[in-house]
Amino acid sequence: MIEINNLTNFAVDKTFFVGVAKKVLKGENRGTENISIAFVVPSEIQKLNKKYRKKDKPTDVLSFEKVSDFKEEFSEIIICPSLVRENAKDSKLSLKKELAKTLIHGILHILGYDHERSIKGEAQMFQKQEFYVSKIK
C-alpha cells in the first residue's frame, strides 16, 4: 500500500506519485511494500533532519525504513517540494520529473541502497535511480 500525505500548499498529483512508487517497487520485486510519502515544508524537514541525522538544515528528501517485519508497518519518505524545485532549476528537469527522481531516490534508500557508504554502492544506487527516472513520462 502506498499512502500520500500532502502537508504543504503544493499541488500533488497523487496518482502520478503512486504510479512512480509502484513502478520502482515492481522493478525491485518488492511490490508488497507499505510506503508512506509525506510532502512537507522546509522547516518541518529541517526539524527531522536535525533530529535523525544531526544536520541542522533542510534537505530535499528523508527516508526511514520500517523497523520490523510487522506486515502493516510502513516505511516513510518525506519530501520537501520547495527544495526539490530548487534542484530542478539546477538539473534542468521539469519539476514533476525532479520530484519523481527524488521519490525514486527515497524508495531506493528504504530498499537498502546507500550512496554514502561505498563508491560501489553509490554507483549501483545512482545507476538504478537513472534507470527508473528514464521510465517516467
Side-chain angles (χ1 to χ4, degrees):
M1 179 176 166
I2 298 164
E3 137 187 314
I4 296 184
N5 298 294
N6 185 9
L7 307 173
T8 71
N9 60 7
F10 181 81
V12 171
D13 181 346
K14 291 183 179 185
T15 303
F16 172 75
F17 290 107
V18 167
V20 169
K22 285 183 176 180
K23 190 174 288 192
V24 175
L25 292 171
K26 183 178 180 190
E28 296 297 311
N29 298 312
R30 301 285 287 277
T32 60
E33 291 290 318
N34 289 329
I35 299 176
S36 174
I37 304 163
F39 293 89
V40 301
V41 296
S43 60
E44 184 62 29
I45 207 161
Q46 181 170 350
K47 286 181 207 169
L48 294 167
N49 203 22
K50 182 178 181 182
K51 180 176 182 177
Y52 294 103
R53 297 182 66 228
K54 310 295 184 241
K55 296 184 179 187
D56 191 12
K57 61 182 183 178
T59 187
D60 56 352
V61 64
L62 291 171
S63 302
F64 299 94
E65 296 177 52
K66 59 185 185 174
V67 294
S68 72
D69 289 328
F70 182 63
K71 74 176 190 174
E72 301 301 319
E73 186 178 5
F74 282 70
S75 297
E76 294 184 64
I77 298 170
I78 296 133
I79 297 173
C80 182
S82 60
L83 289 175
V84 174
R85 181 179 286 126
E86 295 302 312
N87 295 346
K89 290 177 187 173
D90 295 335
S91 73
K92 306 292 190 264
L93 293 176
S94 69
L95 177 57
K96 189 172 186 177
K97 197 147 189 175
E98 188 69 37
L99 282 162
K101 178 180 169 182
T102 303
L103 174 58
I104 291 164
H105 186 88
I107 292 170
L108 291 173
H109 269 302
I110 64 170
L111 297 180
Y113 293 95
D114 195 325
H115 57 88
E116 295 178 345
R117 290 193 187 133
S118 72
I119 293 171
K120 182 180 177 185
E122 178 180 25
Q124 183 183 35
M125 182 173 178
F126 286 114
Q127 180 181 11
K128 284 197 174 276
Q129 179 177 302
E130 291 310 310
F131 170 78
Y132 289 115
V133 169
S134 75
K135 302 293 182 195
I136 305 300
K137 303 274 188 266

